[in-house]
Amino acid sequence: MEKHKKSLLKLAEMLILFAVLIVIDAVFMDGDGFAQINPNPYWLPVIIMTLAYGTSAGLAAAIIASLIWISVPHNFMGDADSLGRQFQLSVPPMLWIVAALIIGEVTASRAARIESLQERYAKILKDWEKMGEAFTRLVRTNRNLQVRIATDHCIAGQAMSVATGLIEP
């Protein structure tokens, strides 16, 4: 259920980004999918989603950007023949998809590295706690031995003779 909720939030975020761009294009521009602006603002949702969520979200954003790009009228093509028009229409979507794949894989690699470092950090914390517990046991054992030596006359004499034996060459 939580994963489904996250997916819906990603989708909502992506749709809001595209809705803002469509409104800006319709109100302030020619309504041609920002054909005259380079780099095209439809790069933003593709890059944002890819950097934030990885390859799949980036590819979804690239597909939506491509659908928007292909569906709006383009007046910039002029007298280009059919193949020229197809080429001009297909370049931005291809670049968006390639960028989503490349950036998404870099993002996935970074996320895997972060996860690996978090696991290592957790292991180090566990080891640190074990060392602390061992140190506490050693301190307690040392204290108990000191008390036994100080209170038992027989052990105290033996400890003094051993200590003097350590001093002699």
Side-chain angles (χ1 to χ4, degrees), residues 18-100:
F18 282 113
V20 167
L21 288 174
I22 290 170
V23 168
I24 290 171
D25 186 33
V27 173
F28 299 109
M29 305 301 286
D30 297 333
D32 61 355
F34 301 103
Q36 304 304 323
I37 297 175
N38 199 5
N40 192 299
Y42 287 122
W43 276 102
L44 293 174
V46 174
I47 292 173
I48 289 169
M49 297 305 291
T50 306
L51 285 173
Y53 303 113
T55 306
S56 59
L59 284 175
I63 290 169
I64 292 172
S66 299
L67 292 174
I68 294 169
W69 173 254
I70 292 170
S71 67
V72 298
H74 297 282
N75 299 327
F76 70 94
M77 292 187 202
D79 295 333
D81 63 353
S82 175
L83 288 176
R85 284 189 200 111
Q86 288 178 3
F87 177 74
Q88 288 176 331
L89 276 175
S90 64
V91 169
M94 284 189 300
L95 292 175
W96 293 329
I97 289 172
V98 169

